[in-house]
Amino acid sequence: MNIRELDFGGLFDVQLAIENLPFILGGLPITLLVSIIGMILGLVLGLFLALCRGSNKRSLRWPARIYISFMRGTPLLVFLFILYFGLPVIGIEFTAITAAILGFGLNSAAYIAEINRASLNSVDNGQWESAKALNLGYWKTLRKIILPQATRIAVPPLTNVFMDIVKATSLAAVITVPELFQKTQIVAGKTYDAMTMYILVALIYWPLCIVISFIQDRMENRFSRFL
């Protein structure tokens, strides 16, 4: 039997999946673009928030705590709607892709901040004291001594955040971002075979996450020398 003739009891039409695979994969670059840039934005803002969260100054600590609490306590989908459909009411407009990048970046920053804070706090306080005895400044100590050790601890949970962003990009379909899931919905509507299309897109997300896990293992080995 030709593989194209398999339908797996009507649940998955292989021929239909193969025919529409190129179109659906056309959304992969947008999925990766939104995920990667959103993660970079989250990493930068997350580190800043973590440092503010651990600051002795209330003017830095409390705004960071409020931001983290708000982002962790509200649905990402609602935030995407605010950015794309709500802000134009007050004259601020973003393209769908820009709104998605900002949404994922600003939202993930709250989770990354807590990961970074826990990782920084896990580094022995004696490291700071030793650096101070050597007359090293705060930023040099942070960059040369503390961050390399904290990064190794933070890699696994940060990788989970990135996986969540990759999978959550499917939410961007509701604001018309032409990513994987939005392309899948278009095909599902045309072919009336939603089950095949949704299984197909699931089988696309799966290897993406396997690749991310592989990168995680390589990064853990890279930073293990700092422990």
Side-chain angles (χ1 to χ4, degrees), residues 19-54:
E19 290 175 353
N20 290 280
L21 181 60
F23 178 78
I24 293 175
L25 287 177
L28 181 58
I30 300 299
T31 292
L32 294 176
L33 176 71
V34 172
S35 301
I36 293 172
I37 299 182
M39 183 66 180
I40 292 173
L41 176 61
L43 286 170
V44 174
L45 183 57
L47 178 58
F48 174 75
L49 287 169
L51 296 176
C52 291
R53 178 80 166 76

Side-chain angles (χ1 to χ4, degrees), residues 71 85 106 194:
M71 286 298 178
F85 297 112
L106 296 175

Side-chain angles (χ1 to χ4, degrees), residues 3 34 37 84 99 107 130 151 159 162 165 195 200-201 214 226:
I3 190 172
V34 172
I37 299 182
Y84 189 65
N107 182 266
S130 299
T151 299
T159 303
F162 185 52
I165 291 176
M195 181 63 76
L200 176 60
V201 77
F214 174 76
F226 292 111

Side-chain angles (χ1 to χ4, degrees), residues 59-209:
S59 59
L60 294 176
R61 186 172 67 252
W62 280 103
R65 293 187 67 171
I66 293 171
Y67 179 92
I68 292 170
S69 176
F70 175 78
M71 286 298 178
R72 295 176 69 189
T74 54
L76 174 57
L77 185 59
V78 173
F79 192 54
L80 290 175
F81 269 69
I82 290 173
L83 288 172
Y84 189 65
F85 297 112
L87 290 183
V89 175
I90 58 175
I92 302 175
E93 295 188 21
F94 297 113
T95 65
I97 293 177
T98 302
I101 290 172
L102 287 174
F104 290 115
L106 296 175
N107 182 266
S108 64
Y111 298 91
I112 292 172
E114 290 297 275
I115 292 170
N116 287 339
R117 184 174 67 88
S119 300
L120 290 170
N121 289 342
S122 68
V123 178
D124 189 88
N125 193 52
Q127 302 284 335
W128 288 100
E129 296 174 355
S130 299
K132 185 176 180 180
L134 295 172
N135 293 321
L136 295 179
Y138 174 83
W139 292 109
K140 191 170 185 179
T141 301
L142 185 68
R143 181 169 58 90
K144 293 287 188 178
I145 299 174
I146 306 301
L147 279 180
Q149 298 179 72
T151 299
R152 170 61 180 82
I153 300 169
V155 164
L158 287 179
T159 303
N160 289 335
V161 171
F162 185 52
M163 280 190 184
D164 287 341
I165 291 176
V166 170
K167 291 179 289 185
T169 53
S170 58
L171 295 174
V174 299
I175 60 170
T176 71
V177 175
E179 44 72 58
L180 281 172
F181 192 68
Q182 201 252 11
K183 297 277 188 180
T184 302
Q185 288 181 311
I186 292 174
V187 177
K190 289 181 177 179
T191 62
Y192 301 101
D193 191 346
M195 181 63 76
T196 294
M197 293 302 105
Y198 293 152
I199 292 176
L200 176 60
V201 77
L203 293 175
I204 296 173
Y205 281 115
W206 184 21
L208 276 179
C209 291

